[in-house]
Amino acid sequence: MIDIFLSSYPLFLKATWLTVQLTAVALLLGCIVGLVIAFFRISDSKLLNYFAHVYITVIRGTPLIVQICILYFGLANMVTLSQFWAGAIALAVHNGAYIAEIFRGSIQSIDRGQMEASRSLGMSYPLAMRRIILPQAFRRAIPSLGNQFIIGLKDSSLVAYVGMQDLWGAGLGEAASNYKQLETYMVVGMYYLGLIMLFTYFVNRLEARLARGRTPKKQGKGLNVAA
C-alpha cells in the first residue's frame, strides 16, 4: 500500500483538490437552495408549501446516483453541462432537501416572541428574519449542517460514475491499471478520512467560537438582537 501511496500521490492530490472544489460549490449552492425551500416550508402560501413538500419527498426518496445521471444525461439534451457542473448541481439539489429541513427546524425552534417583539419595534418581516431570527437559527443549525456537509463530501464520490476524475474516480482508474484494487481503495479511503478529519476540526472550531458568544442567561421572550 505504501508503494501505491508514493507512486500515485500527484494524481490523488489533484483529484483531492477537485473533490474539495466540487464539494464546496455544491454545498454553497445547496445552502442557498435549502434556505429558499425552508422559507417555502414555513410560508403561509399553500402552493409554496406544497412545492417544498414535493421537492423534499422526491429528492429524499430517490438515490443520488439516479439524480446525477438524470441531470448529466437528461439535461444534456437541452443545455450543455460539463461533468463538474452536472455533478455540482446534482449534489446541490440533493443536499438542498436535507439542508432545508435543518434550516426549517432551526428557524421554528426560535421562540415566536422574538418575531413578535421585533415586529412591535417596527421591523418588517424580512428585516426581522434577517437580523433577529436567522442569526440565532444559523447558530443552532451548525452541528446538523456540519454533519450534512460531511455526508455531502462523501456523496461527491458518486460523480465518478459520470466520468469525472474526482478522488474516487482517480482511485477507480488507478486500481484498474495496477490491478491492486484493495490497496488502492484503502489509499483513497485515507485521503477521504483526512478530508473528513480536517473538515470536522474546522466545524468544531466554529461551534466553539459561536458558543463563546452566547450569553449565560436563559433566553426569554424578549428581543434578542444577534451581533
Side-chain angles (χ1 to χ4, degrees):
M1 189 172 70
I2 299 299
D3 60 326
I4 296 176
F5 182 85
L6 294 176
S7 63
S8 60
Y9 76 88
L11 171 66
F12 283 148
L13 285 179
K14 181 179 179 180
T16 298
W17 175 237
L18 181 59
T19 296
V20 171
Q21 289 178 300
L22 175 69
T23 304
V25 171
L27 292 178
L28 177 60
L29 295 176
C31 284
I32 296 173
V33 171
L35 187 59
V36 171
I37 297 299
F39 281 132
F40 286 0
R41 287 279 284 138
I42 63 177
S43 172
D44 293 331
S45 171
K46 292 183 179 181
L47 179 61
L48 295 179
N49 197 289
Y50 179 75
F51 173 82
H53 178 74
V54 171
Y55 166 79
I56 292 173
T57 300
V58 171
I59 295 301
R60 294 173 68 175
T62 55
L64 174 56
I65 186 63
V66 174
Q67 298 164 18
I68 292 175
C69 290
I70 288 175
L71 274 171
Y72 183 66
F73 296 107
L75 292 184
N77 296 324
M78 297 178 287
V79 294
T80 302
L81 281 179
S82 65
Q83 294 170 340
F84 180 89
W85 283 107
I89 293 173
L91 290 170
V93 171
H94 181 81
N95 284 282
Y98 295 89
I99 293 174
E101 288 295 271
I102 293 173
F103 279 143
R104 180 189 63 80
S106 299
I107 292 172
Q108 291 183 331
S109 71
I110 305 300
D111 196 298
R112 293 177 62 89
Q114 295 286 318
M115 178 59 74
E116 295 172 359
S118 59
R119 295 301 300 275
S120 68
L121 292 176
M123 290 187 183
S124 64
Y125 181 86
L127 180 61
M129 183 63 69
R130 180 173 61 87
R131 297 191 61 182
I132 308 300
I133 305 301
L134 285 182
Q136 299 178 72
F138 178 75
R139 177 180 293 174
R140 296 186 182 186
I142 288 296
S144 298
L145 285 176
N147 290 333
Q148 185 58 42
F149 289 172
I150 290 173
I151 294 172
L153 174 58
K154 293 186 290 186
D155 284 347
S156 68
S157 61
L158 292 176
V159 299
Y161 296 104
V162 293
M164 190 170 176
Q165 288 297 303
D166 68 321
L167 187 52
W168 180 240
L172 291 175
E174 186 68 17
S177 63
N178 62 22
Y179 301 104
K180 297 180 180 179
Q181 283 81 5
L182 177 60
E183 294 88 343
T184 303
Y185 297 155
M186 290 177 67
V187 171
V188 173
M190 291 172 57
Y191 277 94
Y192 274 112
L193 180 61
L195 287 176
I196 296 300
M197 292 177 65
L198 183 64
F199 187 81
T200 302
Y201 170 77
F202 285 118
V203 171
N204 290 339
R205 289 292 301 271
L206 179 60
E207 281 189 64
R209 184 170 183 177
L210 291 177
R212 287 197 297 268
R214 295 178 180 175
T215 56
K217 296 180 181 180
K218 185 176 180 181
Q219 186 180 4
K221 293 187 177 182
L223 185 61
N224 182 15
V225 180

